[in-house]
Amino acid sequence: MSRTVWKSDAARQRLEDWYERFLERVPLSCESRTITTASGSNHILLAGPADGEPIVCFHSMRTGAAHLLSELYPLAEQFRLILPDLPDQSVRGPQLGLSLKDDSLARWSCDLLDVLKLEKANVFGVSWGGFVARKLATTFPDRVRRLALLVPAGIVNGSHWKGLTRMALPLLRYRLRKSDANLKRFLDPLLTTWDPFWAEYMGSSLENLRTDLRIPPLATDQELRQLTMPVLVLGAEDDLSFPGAAMVKRIQSIVNHADCEVIANSKHCPPTTPEFRTWLAGRLSAFFTPESIP
């Protein structure tokens, strides 16, 4: 049975306001569209040249398409970015209560491709969105032309003890006594660069979004062997949740054609700086360049 990601009507409005604030940070025009699939209405953002090579981009947990576009927009100079709001994670996403243990998310993604008339799609996913992208690619490998993942969930997990001491306990402290200092203690293991805007949003999300304790299950070796398409995996060196070195080691041992890299000095949330946005757009552009696509 589904339930909304927002705690109340007032919380929903605050999250909608944040969504618009992230859109205001995007220095290019984008289109907001609602499409209908087998699961119902789905909201997407589109940016970049209409005739550009399309890339379907899946955002991270407890954010939305606008949040991802605010960091990924340099890629839209060349490519047509299609950013759906994910089920059960975004204020504008479908409130479906989909299981993480079966193919529900992959089938939702495949339905999306059908409506968008993308027989074979370039796909990018970050964190939770990386889990969704990987599920699509391993369940329906014939629908994914190229797959790029940034700090994806569901490949490796970090230390439970480190997660408890460095994240869970600071979160509890913040919930008991809300202050800027306690919020910073909680976010410090997550954010590579301190970004007041993102920090304020993440503090607000703790107040307005329901807690989702589900952990995406790890892909099996057999599932990863389904990744026969070109694959790019970018891990983060100091990622407590999904350690970059362990992630790259596992991918390379199974998907030996994958292009893998560990981003040095990066935590789970990579830098929110112009320099990193430019670097990431360049890395993804080289991977998704039409001339290199068979």
Side-chain angles (χ1 to χ4, degrees), residues 125-150:
V126 55
S127 191
W128 183 280
F131 170 70
V132 178
R134 194 277 303 164
K135 288 287 286 186
L136 170 63
T138 54
T139 307
F140 301 104
D142 59 324
R143 300 300 302 272
V144 177
R145 186 184 300 276
R146 288 183 169 238
L147 174 70
L149 305 173
L150 174 63

Side-chain angles (χ1 to χ4, degrees), residues 1-290:
M1 182 178 179
S2 64
R3 66 169 185 169
T4 62
V5 298
W6 52 85
K7 294 180 178 179
S8 65
D9 290 341
R12 181 179 187 176
Q13 186 56 57
R14 285 190 284 270
L15 293 167
E16 284 282 1
D17 291 345
W18 271 109
Y19 198 102
E20 291 297 326
R21 289 177 67 184
F22 273 95
L23 278 181
E24 290 169 2
R25 286 163 66 94
V26 179
L28 49 81
S29 61
C30 64
E31 178 187 351
S32 175
R33 186 185 299 176
T34 298
I35 62 175
T36 302
T37 69
S39 63
S41 295
N42 296 261
H43 181 259
I44 62 173
L45 294 177
L46 301 105
D51 60 349
E53 182 71 20
I55 306 174
V56 179
C57 306
F58 295 126
H59 63 78
S60 60
M61 183 181 193
R62 300 170 67 86
T63 60
H67 304 64
L68 178 55
L69 185 57
S70 75
E71 299 299 329
L72 200 61
Y73 65 82
L75 193 62
E77 293 180 9
Q78 177 181 354
F79 296 89
R80 181 65 163 173
L81 303 187
I82 303 168
L83 304 99
D85 281 284
L86 293 178
D88 314 311
Q89 292 301 325
S90 168
V91 66
R92 294 193 185 178
Q95 308 299 299
L96 299 173
L98 297 182
S99 171
L100 306 185
K101 297 179 181 180
D102 59 20
D103 296 335
S104 297
L105 279 167
R107 294 188 182 280
W108 173 84
S109 304
C110 200
D111 287 344
L112 203 72
L113 299 186
D114 289 342
V115 173
L116 293 168
K117 294 181 170 53
L118 293 173
E119 183 177 346
K120 206 163 189 176
N122 300 307
V123 178
F124 168 71
V126 55
S127 191
W128 183 280
F131 170 70
V132 178
R134 194 277 303 164
K135 288 287 286 186
L136 170 63
T138 54
T139 307
F140 301 104
D142 59 324
R143 300 300 302 272
V144 177
R145 186 184 300 276
R146 288 183 169 238
L147 174 70
L149 305 173
L150 174 63
V151 296
I155 305 297
V156 296
N157 286 330
S159 163
H160 291 298
W161 176 249
K162 287 183 179 179
L164 175 67
T165 57
R166 296 189 60 185
M167 294 178 66
L169 293 180
L171 173 58
L172 177 61
R173 176 185 291 177
Y174 174 73
R175 288 193 180 280
L176 291 174
R177 185 173 182 276
K178 294 178 178 59
S179 68
D180 291 343
N182 282 342
L183 180 62
K184 195 172 192 305
R185 289 189 186 97
F186 165 58
L187 295 178
D188 184 65
L190 287 171
L191 302 181
T192 303
T193 52
W194 183 252
D195 186 323
F197 185 86
W198 268 101
E200 186 183 356
Y201 166 74
M202 294 173 85
S204 178
S205 73
L206 292 173
E207 301 302 310
N208 296 298
L209 286 168
R210 295 185 191 277
T211 301
D212 187 347
L213 298 177
R214 296 178 301 166
I215 299 174
L218 297 183
T220 66
D221 289 357
Q222 183 56 41
E223 285 178 311
L224 293 180
R225 292 189 188 99
Q226 293 290 100
L227 299 178
T228 54
M229 71 290 295
V231 175
L232 171 66
V233 177
L234 302 174
E237 182 179 28
D238 301 319
D239 191 337
L240 287 180
S241 302
F242 317 124
M247 178 185 300
V248 164
K249 182 179 180 180
R250 185 177 185 216
I251 290 290
Q252 289 181 327
S253 70
I254 301 171
V255 190
N256 54 23
H257 63 277
D259 178 2
C260 298
E261 181 174 349
V262 178
I263 304 169
N265 304 313
S266 177
K267 301 175 187 178
H268 180 65
C269 300
T272 53
T273 62
E275 294 77 15
F276 184 80
R277 294 184 195 112
T278 299
W279 177 86
L280 179 61
R283 194 72 165 87
L284 293 175
S285 178
F287 180 70
F288 285 122
T289 295

